[in-house]
Amino acid sequence: MKKMMDLVVTQNEQLNQNYSLIKLTTTDKAPLTEMHPGQFVEVRVDGSPSTYLRRPISVNFVDKQKNELWLLVQAVGDGTKKMCEYKQGDIVNLLLPLGNTFTVPTSNPEQELLLIGGGVGTAPMLFLGSRLKEAGFKPKFLLGARSKNDLLQLDDFRKYGELYCTTEDGSFGEKGYVTDHSVLKNTQISQIYTCGPKPMMVAVAKYANMNKIDCEVSLENLMACGFGVCLCCVEKTREGNVCVCTEGPVFNIENLTWIN
């Protein structure tokens, strides 16, 4: 059940010049609302005169021991830039949790699960990977970026599975795009999960379809309200147009029109 609530910032870690990792907890020490991989929150950005609507941010991780919600925020506009300025002790109003979730397999822990993230789309892959490991799986992560400076939270990802990387300039991992990485050629993959720029996700979806691999994608359409009113996030599917914020953000590629 979604709630509107105030959380307090416990830490704001500047990962590089464009990204901040913001950690929040409840103001009264009560347990956080239950959240699942793939879901997102809507953040009210106070103090930004040009930001009228909430900003959708993927759930990056939930640290149950510390009762913390992690949000990976890329500073791309006035709203997210203001968020990246949050300080310890700041109070932030959120609507959470929103959206559906990735599918966690219920059998055969030996199957190969590949989690592919690009840019800020790596955010939900960390939480998903942690849950998959809890369920007895050994996920593999494939992260893509322009250069090594854009690859984030690598040590956190390594806690939950094998890590592979690509960079467009070849500064870290294999040079090229995620769909060029050798792990796709050397591993019998059973399931792919992906989030990132749409061209990347379309390429991954086409690869998965061609190789008959089940694939779920988390769309990053603009979701201004979070509950299907503003119609900013409409996506065309095989069953018609749907709001990503209520019917997604996670979709099986078989339900999208990206592939023939």
Side-chain angles (χ1 to χ4, degrees):
M1 179 181 296
K2 56 179 174 287
K3 298 180 180 180
M4 186 179 296
M5 60 190 308
D6 289 335
L7 297 182
V8 59
V9 177
T10 58
Q11 184 181 0
N12 184 353
E13 181 183 354
Q14 188 87 26
L15 301 183
N16 63 24
Q17 62 181 358
N18 296 317
Y19 288 89
S20 288
L21 178 60
I22 301 169
K23 300 181 181 181
L24 309 104
T25 192
T26 52
T27 57
D28 58 1
K29 308 301 181 184
L32 285 164
T33 300
E34 185 70 21
M35 287 169 272
H36 301 282
Q39 292 186 306
F40 66 100
V41 304
E42 288 277 359
V43 181
R44 190 183 74 202
V45 184
D46 299 327
S48 176
S50 63
T51 307
Y52 303 104
L53 300 172
R54 290 176 180 263
R55 290 296 180 262
I57 307 293
S58 297
V59 175
N60 176 226
F61 188 72
V62 175
D63 187 333
K64 290 192 173 181
Q65 288 187 333
K66 294 184 177 180
N67 198 38
E68 285 183 335
L69 164 65
W70 295 11
L71 302 178
L72 181 64
V73 180
Q74 181 183 17
V76 292
D78 291 343
T80 48
K81 287 178 181 177
K82 187 66 177 180
M83 291 179 62
C84 289
E85 296 174 0
Y86 286 156
K87 295 179 175 57
Q88 184 178 8
D90 284 350
I91 302 297
V92 183
N93 184 268
L94 299 95
L95 183 63
L96 79 168
L98 299 170
N100 64 355
T101 68
F102 289 108
T103 302
V104 175
T106 57
S107 62
N108 189 12
E110 298 303 316
Q111 63 183 298
E112 295 286 359
L113 309 179
L114 182 63
L115 285 58
I116 303 177
V120 76
T122 62
M125 297 295 104
L126 180 63
F127 192 23
L128 175 59
S130 71
R131 285 291 177 88
L132 289 172
K133 185 174 181 181
E134 285 178 8
F137 296 91
K138 298 178 181 179
K140 289 180 169 62
F141 300 100
L142 175 55
L143 308 183
R146 292 181 179 178
S147 71
K148 64 179 180 180
N149 294 330
D150 299 314
L151 290 167
L152 309 172
Q153 300 181 285
L154 300 189
D155 289 339
D156 290 316
F157 279 104
R158 291 188 181 103
K159 295 176 184 177
Y160 304 110
E162 296 179 40
L163 177 65
Y164 304 89
C165 297
T166 64
T167 49
E168 293 177 26
D169 63 3
S171 56
F172 191 91
E174 295 186 14
K175 184 176 182 178
Y177 300 112
V178 291
T179 47
D180 300 323
H181 199 282
S182 58
V183 70
L184 295 173
K185 304 176 181 66
N186 300 332
T187 306
Q188 190 68 35
I189 301 165
S190 302
Q191 169 85 39
I192 292 176
Y193 306 90
T194 187
C195 183
K198 187 170 182 178
M200 184 206 82
M201 289 194 292
V202 170
V204 171
K206 289 182 177 180
Y207 171 87
N209 180 62
M210 182 176 62
N211 290 277
K212 295 180 172 53
I213 301 170
D214 195 36
C215 180
E216 291 184 345
V217 301
S218 179
L219 303 190
E220 295 188 313
N221 299 34
L222 177 63
M223 295 179 281
C225 71
F227 43 87
V229 174
C230 70
L231 303 180
C232 290
C233 63
V234 171
E235 179 75 19
K236 184 178 181 181
T237 73
R238 296 187 185 278
E239 298 177 353
N241 294 335
V242 300
C243 289
V244 171
C245 66
T246 55
E247 301 303 316
V250 178
F251 293 86
N252 191 293
I253 60 171
E254 293 181 356
N255 297 328
L256 299 175
T257 59
W258 298 356
I259 54 178
N260 295 325

